[in-house]
Amino acid sequence: MVSPVRLVRSAELSDAPYAYAAVVASGVRLVFLAGACPLEHDGTTAAVGSYVGQAEKCIENLIAALRAVGATLQDVVSTRVLVVSAERSDLGLVWGVVHDAFGDHDVPSTLLGVTVLGYADQLVEIEAVAAIADPSVDANDGSSATP
């Protein structure tokens, strides 16, 4: 299946480890996901004190949330990565996990250092927007398949 997401790069901008823009084809549904948090199934915070461990758990939970709507990381249009730190090295550790998880599908992303997140001992949160095929739209012309 061809992804409805097209990543855009520009020779006029610096070479970054992510696309600068993403375009979504017509006739798809946008999926706005809550921030993926580093929470275990029982609600406890995973990998307390570890930026890498929490980033990995966030990716795991993001993949599960995407799966619940029939999507994968390849359907993600953009991300926002929040890290409780003022140190660029900590942000870099988290970014490494995110970048590795997305591989060649290096969507437009914003990486932010923040002062606090919602759960006790939480260091990382990853927000995402995805695009998935809309079965009620005719893929050939973008019109609604139902009257």
Side-chain angles (χ1 to χ4, degrees), residues 112-129:
L112 299 167
V114 298
T115 56
V116 67
L117 290 167
Y119 291 99
D121 301 314
Q122 182 182 1
L123 299 173
V124 180
E125 187 163 334
I126 303 170
E127 299 176 8
V129 175

Side-chain angles (χ1 to χ4, degrees), residues 47-84:
V48 172
S50 172
Y51 288 100
V52 169
Q54 288 200 7
E56 291 170 344
K57 187 63 177 176
C58 287
I59 292 291
E60 179 184 319
N61 289 342
L62 177 61
I63 290 169
L66 288 164
R67 190 172 37 249
V69 297
T72 69
L73 289 177
Q74 296 301 307
D75 299 309
V76 172
V77 176
S78 66
T79 65
R80 181 176 299 124
V81 182
L82 310 169
V83 182
V84 176

Side-chain angles (χ1 to χ4, degrees), residues 7-13 15-21 104-107:
L7 300 180
V8 179
R9 298 169 197 324
S10 173
E12 295 179 38
L13 300 170
D15 185 28
Y18 51 83
Y20 277 98
D104 290 338
H105 188 67
D106 52 352
V107 299

